[in-house]
Amino acid sequence: MDKVMFNGGQRHTYQEGEPIETYERVPFDVAEVITTEAPLTFHPKFADQGKLVVRDVTEFIPDVNARMVDWWWGNMEKGYHIWVPGEHYGFDWVVPPCEVGYEGSVEASYEFDPNHPMIITRQSITKYPFTECYEHCWMSTAPMGPAESTLIHMYQDVEGGIYWRTVVVTTEEGAAFMAAHKDDIPLDSHMVYESGRLKDFLPPALQFVEGFTGSLGKCAV
């Protein structure tokens, strides 16, 4: 028997020659960009590894708190496709966090392409490369062409919502790959869409789960 994949029914497996359904973005409000945060500085331990910061954007997300986001990282199978309709096509847990915890859990995220996922591995905070960090931090690695790149979402509660800081760290080869594929993998606009959708998607999703189960699920089967 094959290993069970935790995807909450979110992914249709297309057969050879079957037409692929595509969807449009839904309307969303672009999040307010915060420009008062100091630039990040690499810790000396990581400063000599040929790493480049190709994105560092802080946004204010209203009506969301850090507890909601903490819950989401362990329960993404409950609504990954409705977070970013038209660009999130499906989701599988390859190694679910309910089996191994946060560090080492692995997701297969179908972004832009409903047949070929991006394999994303969550990393220990001991590999966080900067000297400053928010109170909460999600950090993972994923291949970007020839380079392994790091994606960081850090966040903390502020009045009325959260500060949401997205950082992408890669190499010169990874940056060149992203630039060459900016039309078919538009990461910058995709991340604007993700952050803009958080306030509309995450509170209702959490409210539904709490109302249905009476508590926060740790990992759905």
Side-chain angles (χ1 to χ4, degrees):
M1 178 178 177
D2 293 337
K3 179 180 174 63
V4 173
M5 302 298 285
F6 297 84
N7 68 3
Q10 289 191 68
R11 183 170 61 80
H12 173 70
T13 302
Y14 286 93
Q15 304 302 312
E16 185 70 28
E18 180 182 357
I20 295 174
E21 296 184 15
T22 58
Y23 302 91
E24 300 296 323
R25 286 183 172 190
V26 298
F28 71 102
D29 299 320
V30 175
E32 175 190 356
V33 176
I34 304 300
T35 60
T36 54
E37 298 296 275
L40 294 169
T41 301
F42 278 106
H43 189 282
K45 180 179 177 181
F46 300 98
D48 60 350
Q49 297 186 4
K51 300 294 186 182
L52 302 174
V53 176
V54 294
R55 181 177 176 84
D56 179 10
V57 178
T58 303
E59 297 156 297
F60 172 70
I61 311 298
D63 304 324
V64 171
N65 59 47
R67 172 178 170 268
M68 295 177 183
V69 183
D70 288 345
W71 170 83
W72 174 240
W73 298 135
N75 292 272
M76 295 175 70
E77 80 289 340
K78 294 180 175 67
Y80 189 74
H81 60 317
I82 61 173
W83 177 14
V84 185
E87 293 181 9
H88 282 183
Y89 276 89
F91 183 91
D92 290 327
W93 285 119
V94 180
V95 182
C98 57
E99 291 183 358
V100 299
Y102 174 88
E103 181 182 351
S105 58
V106 181
E107 62 187 71
S109 299
Y110 293 76
E111 298 188 0
F112 311 110
D113 184 342
N115 280 327
H116 303 96
M118 179 181 296
I119 304 301
I120 298 174
T121 302
R122 279 86 176 285
Q123 300 295 330
S124 167
I125 195 65
T126 60
K127 297 182 180 180
Y128 181 80
F130 302 109
T131 55
E132 300 292 332
C133 187
Y134 284 178
E135 295 174 0
H136 301 253
C137 182
W138 177 95
M139 184 172 65
S140 66
T141 54
M144 282 290 179
E148 183 176 78
S149 299
T150 299
L151 172 62
I152 297 169
H153 290 304
M154 63 176 103
Y155 48 98
Q156 62 188 19
D157 289 324
V158 296
E159 184 176 355
I162 59 171
Y163 275 3
W164 170 266
R165 189 167 189 170
T166 300
V167 183
V168 178
V169 182
T170 190
T171 63
E172 290 186 0
E173 293 80 8
F177 177 85
M178 292 179 197
H181 293 270
K182 59 182 174 57
D183 292 332
D184 52 307
I185 309 176
L187 287 178
D188 284 342
S189 66
H190 178 69
M191 290 177 182
V192 169
Y193 188 24
E194 282 189 332
S195 59
R197 281 281 299 157
L198 276 173
K199 71 177 179 61
D200 298 316
F201 146 74
L202 189 51
L206 186 60
Q207 184 179 25
F208 173 80
V209 171
E210 289 186 301
F212 185 73
T213 66
S215 62
L216 297 186
K218 296 300 183 183
C219 191
V221 178

